[in-house]
Amino acid sequence: MADAMPARSLNGSANPVWAVNFPDRPTSWKDAWPLDVAAAACAREQIRAIEINFAVLEVLEPVQQQAAFDILSSVSVRVISMHAPFSEPSALDNPDRAKRLAAVDRTVRCLKMCAAHGVGRL
């Protein structure tokens, strides 16, 4: 995606962690991109609202999490929903009590992140 102009880098890392999919189109971008490139693609495609995956955000430090929302906001992209954690280690139906409680904790952290950033749907 050579014509995508990065807005700014989240953490300077070359490791891509974001992906943009267009479910209404026959193809989607298959490779994950750095957030700045994904944000630039959203801006170019005039995407104004997205769903974000909690798993992508939870590995970031709080300052980087805020930077992610700031970068998206800087290109007029609102996060209107967040994909909840799922499967292991987030299976809320896990018969093992410790694993189930860990899954509940992860889900609660996701809900708190939604609340902190005005994300209205999980």
Side-chain angles (χ1 to χ4, degrees), residues 53-55 58 83-104 106-107 109:
N53 192 324
F54 177 69
E58 75 175 323
H83 199 295
F86 60 96
S87 302
E88 287 296 330
S90 296
L92 296 171
D93 63 345
N94 195 312
D96 180 278
R97 179 176 167 73
K99 289 180 180 180
R100 186 173 58 256
L101 291 176
V104 168
R106 188 171 182 221
T107 302
R109 286 186 283 120

Side-chain angles (χ1 to χ4, degrees), residues 1 16-21 28-34 37-38:
M1 196 96 222
V17 294
W18 294 73
V20 178
N21 295 308
S28 294
W29 298 317
K30 295 178 183 174
D31 298 321
W33 294 345
V37 175

